[in-house]
Amino acid sequence: MKKQEQTESWGQWILQVLILVAIFFGIFFVLNKFVFANLTVSGISMQPTFENNDRVIALRHAKIKQGDIVIVDAPDEPGALYIKRVIGLPGDTVVSKNNQIYINGKKINQPWLKAGQKLIDNGEDGVSGTKYTNTQNFTLSSLAKTQNYRQFYTAKQLKEMQKTNKVPANTYFVMGDHRSVSKDSRYIGTIPRSKIVGVVKMRYWPLNHTTFY
């Protein structure tokens, strides 16, 4: 009788452990699906802020502000994700001149570029001799006249951007911190809110570079 009770006790314990494990993984799945995104940085477009293979956690459905780092569904590469920084919000005018960015006519502070100001491209991504922070002169109006933009916008949208120089409603102008090589809103257009996976809140790998944002 005693042996049978012990067997039943072990069986109940194992069942409880399995239930707890199932609950844990269920909670983890729900959080990862609807609240957080655990992602690996691929590429060099956000150097030196992020390096290839850094691992980050992004918060889905977070409010987006200028300067935030975001994960976006690549509009030009189905299935790929890009990590970029928000520069212009919906309705903002955007002008780049002499490596400075002007939003709504005011020069913005870009402390995230400081670390890359003295770094020189060494041939990665086919670029050599330029500074990481090298940003060509442009306006949103001028970008709207390029062949690249014609891939992502209707003729009506392009005409509106050419006229107003404004970021279209519900979209964001994003750029990489490694400006000289980054494929961003200068080439792939502004990013719809629905294509922003989340706002990066933490880098947890490598451990010695753990950072909260």
Side-chain angles (χ1 to χ4, degrees):
M1 188 71 176
K2 190 174 180 180
K3 186 175 182 180
Q4 183 180 353
E5 290 176 352
Q6 288 178 338
T7 302
E8 290 177 354
S9 178
W10 272 103
Q12 290 174 351
W13 181 81
I14 292 171
L15 180 60
Q16 289 173 350
V17 170
L18 291 175
I19 291 172
L20 287 173
V21 169
I23 291 173
F24 172 80
F25 278 104
I27 292 172
F28 177 80
F29 174 80
V30 170
L31 289 175
N32 194 56
K33 181 72 174 178
F34 300 105
V35 182
F36 300 106
N38 181 11
L39 302 159
T40 302
V41 174
S42 177
I44 62 173
S45 73
M46 279 293 288
Q47 286 178 326
T49 307
F50 292 96
E51 296 292 343
N52 190 45
N53 291 325
D54 281 3
R55 293 194 66 87
V56 301
I57 293 176
L59 180 62
R60 302 180 188 271
H61 313 298
K63 183 178 179 180
I64 299 172
K65 307 181 299 298
Q66 185 188 84
D68 279 347
I69 302 160
V70 292
I71 306 296
V72 305
D73 285 321
D76 62 329
E77 196 174 334
L81 296 172
Y82 293 160
I83 181 170
K84 303 294 176 185
R85 192 181 295 276
V86 174
I87 301 299
L89 303 176
D92 283 347
T93 61
V94 181
V95 175
S96 173
K97 186 176 181 181
N98 298 326
N99 292 333
Q100 300 294 335
I101 301 292
Y102 298 82
I103 300 297
N104 301 323
K106 296 181 179 180
K107 183 173 70 173
I108 64 170
N109 185 28
Q110 301 182 85
W112 47 79
L113 295 185
K114 186 175 181 180
Q117 285 176 348
K118 296 181 180 181
L119 298 177
I120 305 295
D121 292 308
N122 59 6
E124 291 181 288
D125 277 14
V127 179
S128 182
T130 53
K131 289 184 179 180
Y132 280 26
T133 54
N134 187 59
T135 309
Q136 71 267 43
N137 297 338
F138 65 84
T139 64
L140 197 54
S141 296
S142 67
L143 293 176
K145 298 176 182 178
T146 64
Q147 183 62 41
N148 286 330
Y149 265 48
R150 291 178 191 145
Q151 301 176 55
F152 305 107
Y153 298 97
T154 65
K156 182 179 179 180
Q157 290 171 321
L158 291 171
K159 187 175 181 180
E160 182 68 16
M161 276 189 284
Q162 290 172 23
K163 179 182 177 181
T164 65
N165 192 42
K166 290 184 177 181
V167 178
N170 298 314
T171 70
Y172 296 80
F173 193 94
V174 301
M175 299 178 74
D177 291 353
H178 191 165
R179 295 278 171 81
S180 55
V181 303
S182 177
K183 182 166 61 172
D184 48 41
S185 285
R186 292 171 290 176
Y187 310 102
I188 59 176
T190 58
I191 306 299
R193 179 62 182 90
S194 60
K195 296 296 183 182
I196 296 179
V197 176
V199 178
V200 173
K201 295 299 182 180
M202 178 186 182
R203 169 175 48 201
Y204 67 91
W205 188 266
L207 291 175
N208 60 332
H209 287 149
T210 296
T211 311
F212 293 90
Y213 301 93

